[in-house]
Amino acid sequence: MYFAALLARTEDGWEASDTELLDNVETLSDLADLAREASPEDDTVLVLIEQEDAWFGVVRIDGEEDPRIYVSDAAAAARSSYGEILLTDELLGRDPGDDDVADLDSLDLDGTEDGDDEDDEDDEDGNAEAGAASADAVPHGPLGDPGILDDLGIGEKELKLLSTDALTEIAESLGASETLETVR
């Protein structure tokens, strides 16, 4: 079970709205656009996402700046559609398009596609190793900007210690727990 909400900081405090991310969002850019729409004054908007007891993520959008991201468990998030939105190549430390390059590198396009069986066995082993390496590219544990909420009263250490019901704890620290509960 997933929960996703937008918390927009206004001069009157935090305003919350829930969102069906899968209906509206396919990329981080889509998510940032959705968040910016929630705050016409270019105020801070937090996108809070959690999958029950598995992981949570915070995306922070400040006006037109690039989104800042924190994910509590990248490996768990990588196994979910919401997590895939947050785990960008940049966040994972990969060059965009690395997957395509790895796929092309694994192909034997030297004109001897009907080569002998020994070479085919080597290629199969190489492909298995490449697949394992790409699966290991998503680290277990937190990933992203642990200082994402520093100026809002939640330091890196506190953020990394959050686990179950993390979004409620974040909202409490921001003074927005009642606001978040209205959309939960």
Side-chain angles (χ1 to χ4, degrees):
M1 178 89 179
Y2 291 98
F3 173 72
L6 299 173
L7 280 180
R9 184 168 55 178
T10 67
E11 60 186 40
D12 298 326
W14 292 95
E15 292 181 9
S17 58
D18 63 340
T19 184
E20 292 296 321
L21 291 182
L22 292 178
D23 292 341
N24 304 321
V25 175
E26 293 180 11
T27 66
L28 181 61
S29 179
D30 293 343
L31 182 61
D33 290 344
L34 181 69
R36 287 182 183 107
E37 289 172 13
S39 178
E41 300 297 319
D42 288 338
D43 291 319
T44 298
V45 178
L46 301 176
V47 181
L48 305 173
I49 303 170
E50 74 180 354
Q51 181 181 7
E52 276 183 21
D53 299 330
W55 66 276
F56 71 91
V58 178
V59 179
R60 179 176 178 158
I61 291 87
D62 292 304
E64 292 300 318
E65 291 181 26
D66 288 340
R68 295 169 56 195
I69 303 166
Y70 176 83
V71 178
S72 65
D73 185 340
R79 294 185 296 269
S80 77
S81 54
Y82 285 165
E84 289 178 356
I85 293 169
L86 304 182
L87 297 175
T88 62
D89 286 337
E90 182 180 340
L91 189 66
L92 293 169
R94 298 189 291 221
D95 290 331
D98 272 356
D99 293 339
D100 296 337
V101 171
D103 291 344
L104 289 175
D105 287 344
S106 69
L107 296 175
D108 181 14
L109 300 176
D110 64 358
T112 60
E113 285 78 19
D114 295 329
D116 64 15
D117 291 338
E118 184 177 324
D119 288 342
D120 290 345
E121 288 173 17
D122 289 344
D123 287 346
E124 288 172 15
D125 292 342
N127 287 342
E129 290 171 12
S134 66
D136 292 338
V138 178
H140 292 275
L143 185 66
D145 182 355
I148 193 169
L149 302 174
D150 280 350
D151 65 321
L152 299 174
I154 302 169
E156 178 179 335
K157 185 176 181 180
E158 293 86 3
L159 188 62
K160 287 183 176 181
L161 290 174
L162 295 175
S163 56
T164 60
D165 211 18
L167 301 190
T168 299
E169 292 181 44
I170 291 170
E172 284 176 7
S173 294
L174 299 174
S177 58
E178 289 180 22
T179 304
L180 183 64
E181 287 305 312
T182 61
V183 297
R184 205 178 260 271

